[in-house]
């Protein structure tokens, strides 16, 4: 029997309408949760979905949420824009996930923010990368992000280290220029201070001209975010042993610590408690999860555990059916959660922009290794 075009269209329309109301995966089946991660490509975070899955496995072993298991579906977008948009649509329309938890893609927020808003679904990324992760109504990462971190680094230089001449030598990644300017303005608004030098043209070539310029300007503290080895070798050659160099979280690795000459003062700002010390508040919970599941210890896996923990706590507070609508409402109306691995409480809330986590804890290189500094979290304007 042939089906008429009209009936086919009607069936398709019904399917689309059903999909648009997705996230209602019943009241006794698994609760589906999605994520978009960089597993391949230029920005790789394979430990993130593994750590989220480990937290959800723990919940499932304890009986789930109201007797329902958590089913986690991670999509690899490989930093490919088409794959990222297709992954978001598939998770929302085909898999009918109730939320996205623990995403760690470098392109997800910018490409999919409108999709999340149109479908009234929330995303709680483990790692927010670009500015749109922190300026969207339905996205709220669990990390401060690169721009709040810059504000904290500037504040640390001027208010904690008491440096009068603070300079910035940075490489600007595509799409991040506006975020850097916003971060500098926030520091200036809090402290009333301005940069002595701002040079956003640093690349991979010879660092000598930049360092000579910094010496001539009398820079006492320098924020820096590019290649570590050649920069600090040349800084040592230039005799810049009285300068405090402050790097972002991307430079906080054991390999980079080993590259810093002994007489150079090199610091790094972290987004969570420094992962190199498992005894710090909040790190015990994270290290237990990653060690038990043989997952790499990184700052990104800290964000994964935190995103999953926050999601589970909010889920436990939902009265009635757990659907996309009830989950979104729960996050929009949640009370702040004090999570010891970060400097400020996490809250989603009803606003059009979300950057709830602020501040940074700082580490310094000593004998080729990172040493946690005693000040605790530095939150601009609050300490």
């Amino acid at each position: 029997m042939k089906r008429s075009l009209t009936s086919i269209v009607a069936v398709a329309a019904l399917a689309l309408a059903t999909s648009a109301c997705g996230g209602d995966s019943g009241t006794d089946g698994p609760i589906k949760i999605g994520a978009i991660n960089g597993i391949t490509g230029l920005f790789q975070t394979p430990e993130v979905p593994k750590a989220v899955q480990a937290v959800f496995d723990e919940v499932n072993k304890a009986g789930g949420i109201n007797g329902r298991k958590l089913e986690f579906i991670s999509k690899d977008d490989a930093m490919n824009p088409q794959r990222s948009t297709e992954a978001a649509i598939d998770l929302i329309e085909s898999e009918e996930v109730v939320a996205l938890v623990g995403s760690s893609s470098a392109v997800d927020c910018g490409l999919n923010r409108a999709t999340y808003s149109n479908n009234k679904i929330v995303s709680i990324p483990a790692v927010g990368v670009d500015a749109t992760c922190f300026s969207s109504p339905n996205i709220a990462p669990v990390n401060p992000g690169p721009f709040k971190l810059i504000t904290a680094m500037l504040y640390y230089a001027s208010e904690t280290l008491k440096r009068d001449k603070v300079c910035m030598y940075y490489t600007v990644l595509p799409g991040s220029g506006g975020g850097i300017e916003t971060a500098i303005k926030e520091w200036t608004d809090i402290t009333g201070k301005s940069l002595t030098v701002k040079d956003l043209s640093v690349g991979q070539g010879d660092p000598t001209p930049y360092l000579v310029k910094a010496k001539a300007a009398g820079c006492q503290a320098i924020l820096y975010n590019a290649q570590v080895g050649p920069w600090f070798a040349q800084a040592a050659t230039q005799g810049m042993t009285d300068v405090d160099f402050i790097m972002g979280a991307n430079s906080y690795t054991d390999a980079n610590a080993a590259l810093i000459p002994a007489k150079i003062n090199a610091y790094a700002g972290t987004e969570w408690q420094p992962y190199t010390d498992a005894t710090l508040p909040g790190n015990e919970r994270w290290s237990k999860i990653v060690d038990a599941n043989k997952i790499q210890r990184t700052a990104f896996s800290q964000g994964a555990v935190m995103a999953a923990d926050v999601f589970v706590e909010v889920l436990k507070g939902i009265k009635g059916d757990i659907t996309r609508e009830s989950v979104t409402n729960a996050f929009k109306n949640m009370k702040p959660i004090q999570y010891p691995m970060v400097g400020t409480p996490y809250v989603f809330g009803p606003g059009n922009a979300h950057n709830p986590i602020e501040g940074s804890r700082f580490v310094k290189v000593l004998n080729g290794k990172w040493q946690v500094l005693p000040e605790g979290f530095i939150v601009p304007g609050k300490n």
Side-chain angles (χ1 to χ4, degrees):
M1 181 175 67
K2 292 183 179 180
R3 299 171 67 187
S4 69
L5 178 62
T6 302
S7 66
I8 293 173
V9 170
V11 170
L14 178 60
L16 185 61
T18 303
S19 173
C21 297
D24 299 329
S25 52
T27 57
D28 55 0
I31 300 168
K32 291 188 174 183
I33 304 111
I36 299 177
N37 302 104
I39 307 302
T40 58
L42 295 177
F43 185 71
Q44 298 184 12
T45 57
E47 71 272 35
V48 170
K50 292 178 182 176
V52 173
Q53 182 68 65
V55 173
F56 289 169
D57 286 345
E58 180 186 65
V59 174
N60 289 337
K61 286 179 182 176
I65 303 294
N66 297 331
R68 298 177 65 186
K69 303 293 186 182
L70 303 181
E71 180 179 337
F72 182 54
I73 307 166
S74 168
K75 300 279 186 179
D76 172 23
D77 72 2
M79 269 192 78
N80 179 300
Q82 182 175 345
R83 285 182 62 169
S84 191
T85 53
E86 289 175 350
I89 292 171
D90 187 44
L91 288 168
I92 293 170
E93 296 189 355
S94 299
E95 300 291 352
E96 298 191 349
V97 300
V98 299
L100 289 98
V101 178
S103 291
S104 57
S105 160
V107 297
D108 165 45
C109 295
L111 293 169
N112 298 319
R113 59 184 297 186
T115 299
Y116 299 153
S117 294
N118 292 339
N119 285 277
K120 298 179 180 178
I121 188 170
V122 293
S123 174
I124 302 94
V127 184
V129 180
D130 66 69
T132 55
C133 293
F134 306 92
S135 58
S136 302
N138 281 45
I139 304 173
V142 299
N143 63 320
F147 310 113
K148 284 290 184 183
L149 184 59
I150 288 175
T151 303
M153 292 161 64
L154 291 168
Y155 190 86
Y156 184 72
S158 65
E159 308 307 307
T160 303
L161 298 178
K162 306 294 183 185
R163 294 302 203 172
D164 295 325
K165 292 188 174 183
V166 180
C167 304
M168 172 179 265
Y169 286 86
Y170 251 51
T171 294
V172 179
L173 301 175
S176 65
I180 292 175
E181 298 301 332
T182 300
I184 296 170
K185 182 179 183 303
E186 185 175 10
W187 168 65
T188 297
D189 289 344
I190 294 171
T191 64
K193 298 174 181 177
S194 301
L195 287 172
T196 299
V197 175
K198 181 182 68 176
D199 190 331
L200 305 182
S201 66
V202 177
Q204 299 294 321
D206 182 5
T208 305
Y210 299 102
L211 292 165
V212 170
K213 180 181 175 182
K215 283 183 67 176
C219 297
Q220 298 172 329
I222 297 176
L223 269 64
Y224 176 73
N225 75 335
Q227 195 174 10
V228 171
W231 178 271
F232 286 102
Q234 184 55 228
T237 299
Q238 294 292 326
M240 300 174 74
T241 56
D242 58 346
V243 176
D244 290 324
F245 293 93
I246 305 171
M247 298 176 284
N250 60 305
S251 298
Y252 173 43
T253 67
D254 291 341
N256 280 336
L259 294 175
I260 309 293
K263 295 182 179 179
I264 294 293
N265 297 315
Y267 303 79
T270 68
E271 295 191 278
W272 296 275
Q273 290 279 17
Y275 74 90
T276 47
D277 186 345
T279 68
L280 296 171
N283 278 359
E284 183 180 355
R285 157 71 179 162
W286 155 76
S287 62
K288 178 183 176 184
I289 289 287
V290 296
D291 291 350
N293 292 278
K294 299 180 180 179
I295 299 168
Q296 186 180 9
R297 286 186 173 211
T298 67
F300 291 159
S301 64
Q302 289 177 298
V305 172
M306 179 178 171
D309 277 349
V310 165
F311 178 72
V312 169
E313 184 164 341
V314 172
L315 222 59
K316 288 179 177 176
I318 295 176
K319 306 298 182 186
D321 293 345
I322 295 176
T323 65
R324 184 179 301 165
E325 181 180 10
S326 66
V327 171
T328 298
N329 287 338
F331 272 91
K332 295 284 186 177
N333 295 286
M334 68 178 284
K335 293 181 179 178
I337 293 175
Q338 187 71 51
Y339 202 85
M341 201 187 288
V342 289
T344 54
Y346 178 87
V347 63
F348 202 114
N352 289 323
H354 307 279
N355 203 160
I357 305 302
E358 299 183 45
S360 174
R361 188 143 192 199
F362 289 85
V363 292
K364 184 178 181 181
V365 172
L366 183 65
N367 298 324
K369 297 184 180 300
W370 295 108
Q371 187 173 61
V372 181
L373 296 175
E375 297 92 349
F377 279 99
I378 301 296
V379 182
K382 298 180 182 177
N383 59 0

